[in-house]
Amino acid sequence: MHRPTWVEIDLNALRHNLFAIKKWVGPQIKILGIVKADAYGHGDYEVSRVLLNNGVEMLGIAILEEGIQLRDKGIKAPLLILGGIFEEQIDTVIQYGLTPTVYDLKLAEVLSKRAYYFNTIMKVHVYVDTGMGSIGVKYDKAVEFVKFVKNMKNLLIEGIYTHCSSSDEKDSAFTNLQIKRFRDVLDALDASKACIPLRHMANSGAILGYPEAYFNMVRPG
């Protein structure tokens, strides 16, 4: 049995928070607005519109279905799928113009073949595991992985990212270690001329407590 409840979403408050984040991180840092899980229950379309109308240029979602839903509602901005996808979903990802995350060579190869088949260039982001221990390319294998994917036809690595697992803790030694590992990967890629334009790590907790995790894009939720 549910208790009668009333939730009012104040989109002006959302706008205010977005501007506060922009001021906090500075004008040179791009913002990837996370709108997964119906924008955490706040309304994915409504929240997405406010973010996009106020200078956010890319949105983050968890699964393919969320991307389809936003496209069907008229959202045309780049949508990054932060979760994994299955091979059988690839054609739909291409059809809806979504940006998948890659961390598995076999899946990247299938993406490349399908993008070639559809005669399209598919943008992808590489997810690096810097210590979260779940999915992702392990940080010490990331440079090699990126080089493989860069050589695949019809794939364009637009971004590379990792995730802070304990950024809510102040002065977390583990978060600082994750930042160092990610920076080492980026430095090695730059040194080998494999530059990737978008680099993001900081979730909401890291935005508030770890400016060295900003790189050139942040992911507030």
Side-chain angles (χ1 to χ4, degrees):
M1 189 168 155
H2 297 291
R3 293 174 184 273
T5 53
W6 175 270
V7 178
E8 189 165 306
I9 309 299
D10 185 346
L11 294 176
N12 285 324
L14 175 71
R15 198 175 288 111
H16 169 83
N17 291 349
L18 173 61
F19 287 131
I21 289 169
K22 284 181 155 193
K23 193 174 173 190
W24 186 272
V25 301
Q28 72 285 6
I29 306 290
K30 295 175 188 292
I31 292 177
L32 196 172
I34 303 299
V35 293
K36 64 182 182 180
D38 193 30
Y40 301 97
H42 293 75
D44 59 354
Y45 175 69
E46 294 79 4
V47 169
S48 294
R49 276 194 58 193
V50 170
L51 298 179
L52 295 171
N53 288 339
N54 289 280
V56 170
E57 47 207 71
M58 184 181 285
L59 301 171
I61 52 178
I63 54 174
L64 167 67
E65 289 76 11
E66 293 173 346
I68 293 172
Q69 195 168 296
L70 284 170
R71 287 282 186 257
D72 287 347
K73 288 175 181 174
I75 296 294
K76 295 182 167 63
L79 297 174
L80 173 63
I81 305 174
L82 296 158
I85 57 168
F86 297 109
E87 282 187 22
E88 55 269 25
Q89 295 178 316
I90 288 173
D91 288 8
T92 311
V93 168
I94 294 171
Q95 180 193 338
Y96 281 88
L98 306 174
T99 304
T101 289
V102 294
Y103 46 82
D104 175 87
L105 278 179
K106 187 165 169 283
L107 187 81
E109 280 165 358
V110 182
L111 277 169
S112 165
K113 282 176 185 157
R114 298 311 290 162
Y116 180 75
Y117 174 80
F118 285 108
N119 192 28
T120 188
I121 301 296
M122 181 179 255
K123 291 178 177 175
V124 299
H125 285 225
V126 173
Y127 176 60
V128 180
D129 177 13
T130 54
M132 190 95 170
S134 52
I135 59 171
V137 187
K138 194 113 185 309
Y139 62 93
D140 54 358
K141 304 265 192 320
V143 174
E144 187 187 4
F145 178 86
V146 166
K147 286 177 179 173
F148 273 120
V149 175
K150 267 193 171 291
N151 287 325
M152 291 182 186
K153 278 183 182 156
N154 294 65
L155 292 189
L156 175 67
I157 303 179
E158 175 191 47
I160 184 167
Y161 69 101
T162 190
H163 185 68
C164 297
S165 57
S166 48
S167 61
D168 293 339
E169 300 168 17
K170 273 220 159 93
D171 298 323
S172 160
F174 189 65
T175 298
N176 288 320
L177 176 63
Q178 285 190 283
I179 293 167
K180 184 193 178 302
R181 285 171 173 170
F182 191 50
R183 177 166 279 116
D184 287 348
V185 169
L186 298 179
D187 288 347
L189 287 171
D190 288 346
S192 66
K193 302 288 188 285
C195 296
I196 298 173
L198 300 176
R199 298 126 180 259
H200 46 109
M201 175 176 194
N203 52 9
S204 300
I207 288 169
L208 294 173
Y210 296 88
E212 58 278 18
Y214 292 174
F215 298 96
N216 64 8
M217 186 179 240
V218 295
R219 299 193 305 266

